[in-house]
Amino acid sequence: MDGVPESWSFYTGQVSHEQYTKQLDGFTASRYDPRAWADLFARAGARYAVLAARHHDGVALWDSAHGDLNVVRRTPAERDLIAGYADALRERGLRVGLYYSHSDWNHPDYASTRHPAPAPAPAPDEDPPNPLAHARPGEEDPAAWARFLAYRDGQVGELVDRFRPDLLWFDGEWERTEEQWGLHALAARILAGHPETVLNARMLSHGDYATPEQGVPLQAPDGPWELCLTVNDSWGFQHRDHNHKSVRRLVRYFTETIGAGGNLLLDVGPREDGTITAEQAERLTGLGAWIGRHAEAVYVTVAGLPPGHHYGPSALSADRRALYLFCFDPPRETVSVRGLRNRVRRVSVLGTGAELGHRVTGGLHEVPGVTWLDAPAAGDADEYATVLAVELDGELDLYRGTGRS
């Protein structure tokens, strides 16, 4: 609310702890409408959403029996904010995700142990390890750390038992080891009653998928993954941050992500009254409208062609018999695909259905020629990204060699 980053601003000393905590007095959630949120997320084309149930500052969005730092007891909102969210998402057929940080820089027992890896000595102009996160050498307190883990485990147990999330999105794991966090026992607790719960990689070896942030990785992580991206430059609401990504740029991020086999988790920061800004809502609905026109290339597809076969990202149908080429600029004359051994049965523009001609030139022995697809007419090109659907005569078969020697 004061235009400072959530949690990090008091951790780094940007503002005092007192000033940061005083923001609780202005948190009303007076216009919070989880059904409106769910409607917006559905229009954005989402299949799941993740709500930050507790960040590193320790403020919980539900009435927890473990500690009293929550919006029910310490803010004018005076109510649980998670149950309605979970119910509204499920009414719209969306999966329910909850974010929870292992770390808690407000908890009196948190800074009672340290990561055992030897830390390099701070440079002369650097501060020592933050006392909100780490015990000073020789002042570790195992009993206090055990109390903290009981608090953390108790809160996670409440989230699991009360709200039955489909996904738990953990954070803050970098400050301790897997053994210190007690992640084996925590994962067992979560999965005991809800074995289908998905856990992100910040549960370390118990995680199901990777979570790079703020930039499409040049090399996709092994296995399932998700890009976490903000609509502007901030994770939470900041009234001075008007640097919103355009719908066109979000479409580009989105197609580059799904083209490499990932999901996009797009972050918006609601105001203290629970409303999402018009600028951010416009971006979500704009992206959702593009997805709606091209759903065939988005849902139930897998990573597409490796780099070098097409100038842009692409995706494959689950049976690998349809190739979807994303073209950010309106195609001119032709679009090429290299190394395609398959015969092309049909090419069309997704969203309009316009059929396009195609031909192959060149090729020698085992080296296939270049497949050329005619560019669509100007009226069939999409405002943000045109998608060409290429039907193949079988599963995708690519040539990856160096040419005839």
Side-chain angles (χ1 to χ4, degrees), residues 169-252:
W169 209 107
F170 286 95
D171 200 4
E173 83 297 339
W174 67 88
E175 292 195 327
R176 303 290 188 273
T177 67
E178 182 163 343
E179 182 179 10
Q180 286 176 314
W181 284 127
L183 295 189
H184 180 74
L186 181 61
R189 165 68 176 87
I190 294 167
L191 300 176
H194 307 273
E196 301 301 316
T197 306
V198 176
L199 307 175
N200 71 335
R202 302 179 194 198
M203 277 290 283
L204 301 177
S205 70
H206 297 279
D208 298 308
Y209 69 98
T211 54
E213 295 184 25
Q214 295 290 54
V216 180
L218 295 179
Q219 182 173 339
D222 293 333
W225 63 281
E226 164 195 83
L227 173 64
C228 310
L229 183 74
T230 52
V231 169
N232 52 10
D233 293 330
S234 308
W235 295 103
F237 174 71
Q238 302 229 6
H239 57 274
R240 297 186 187 92
D241 184 357
H242 302 292
N243 190 31
H244 295 89
K245 299 172 181 66
S246 66
V247 174
R248 177 174 287 104
R249 186 172 297 182
L250 291 174
V251 168
R252 183 160 189 153

Side-chain angles (χ1 to χ4, degrees), residues 24-341:
L24 293 171
D25 298 337
F27 184 79
T28 67
S30 58
R31 299 172 62 193
Y32 171 55
D33 182 351
R35 284 192 172 88
W37 282 21
D39 289 343
L40 175 60
F41 301 158
R43 292 199 305 274
R47 294 293 176 88
Y48 66 102
V50 179
L51 173 65
R54 182 178 75 65
H55 204 252
H56 315 316
D57 59 14
V59 180
L61 296 190
W62 75 101
D63 189 11
S64 175
H66 301 272
D68 67 351
L69 186 55
N70 61 67
V71 298
V72 181
R73 306 184 198 180
R74 298 284 294 276
T75 77
E78 296 185 327
R79 61 184 173 122
D80 169 273
L81 302 179
I82 297 182
Y85 154 85
D87 291 343
L89 259 61
R90 291 189 169 110
E91 288 173 5
R92 291 303 306 259
L94 304 180
R95 300 280 187 167
V96 175
L98 293 175
Y99 167 111
Y100 184 90
S101 175
H102 294 294
S103 56
D104 184 341
W105 299 327
N106 250 318
H107 196 282
D109 291 324
Y110 182 65
S112 56
T113 189
R114 296 184 302 150
H115 195 295
D125 59 343
E126 290 181 342
D127 294 327
N130 196 302
L132 296 174
H134 304 284
R136 289 191 290 267
E139 296 185 10
E140 293 87 353
D141 186 342
W145 182 247
R147 289 195 300 269
F148 175 78
L149 289 185
Y151 151 82
R152 189 273 318 261
D153 293 350
Q155 287 202 327
V156 172
E158 289 175 335
L159 293 177
V160 171
D161 295 340
R162 293 186 196 178
F163 310 115
R164 300 173 291 104
D166 303 291
L167 162 67
L168 278 170
W169 209 107
F170 286 95
D171 200 4
E173 83 297 339
W174 67 88
E175 292 195 327
R176 303 290 188 273
T177 67
E178 182 163 343
E179 182 179 10
Q180 286 176 314
W181 284 127
L183 295 189
H184 180 74
L186 181 61
R189 165 68 176 87
I190 294 167
L191 300 176
H194 307 273
E196 301 301 316
T197 306
V198 176
L199 307 175
N200 71 335
R202 302 179 194 198
M203 277 290 283
L204 301 177
S205 70
H206 297 279
D208 298 308
Y209 69 98
T211 54
E213 295 184 25
Q214 295 290 54
V216 180
L218 295 179
Q219 182 173 339
D222 293 333
W225 63 281
E226 164 195 83
L227 173 64
C228 310
L229 183 74
T230 52
V231 169
N232 52 10
D233 293 330
S234 308
W235 295 103
F237 174 71
Q238 302 229 6
H239 57 274
R240 297 186 187 92
D241 184 357
H242 302 292
N243 190 31
H244 295 89
K245 299 172 181 66
S246 66
V247 174
R248 177 174 287 104
R249 186 172 297 182
L250 291 174
V251 168
R252 183 160 189 153
Y253 271 111
F254 179 69
T255 54
E256 289 175 343
T257 299
I258 66 172
N263 286 352
L264 178 63
L265 187 65
L266 188 58
D267 175 89
V268 295
R271 300 182 185 92
E272 68 276 6
D273 66 0
T275 57
I276 294 172
T277 68
E279 294 86 352
Q280 297 200 348
E282 183 269 333
R283 266 65 173 185
L284 292 185
T285 54
L287 175 60
W290 183 91
I291 291 173
R293 296 192 296 272
H294 305 94
E296 181 183 323
V298 172
Y299 302 114
V300 202
T301 54
V302 297
L305 301 171
H309 291 273
H310 164 62
Y311 292 114
S314 61
L316 273 169
S317 59
D319 63 5
R320 303 181 65 82
R321 291 172 174 266
L323 177 63
Y324 303 98
L325 307 177
F326 303 113
C327 304
F328 298 130
D329 298 316
R332 297 181 179 181
E333 187 180 350
T334 54
V335 173
S336 65
V337 182
R338 294 182 175 86
L340 187 62
R341 288 195 176 106

Side-chain angles (χ1 to χ4, degrees), residues 338-350:
R338 294 182 175 86
L340 187 62
R341 288 195 176 106
N342 299 82
R343 182 174 63 85
V344 173
R345 288 181 169 174
R346 182 175 182 267
V347 181
S348 61
V349 182
L350 218 57

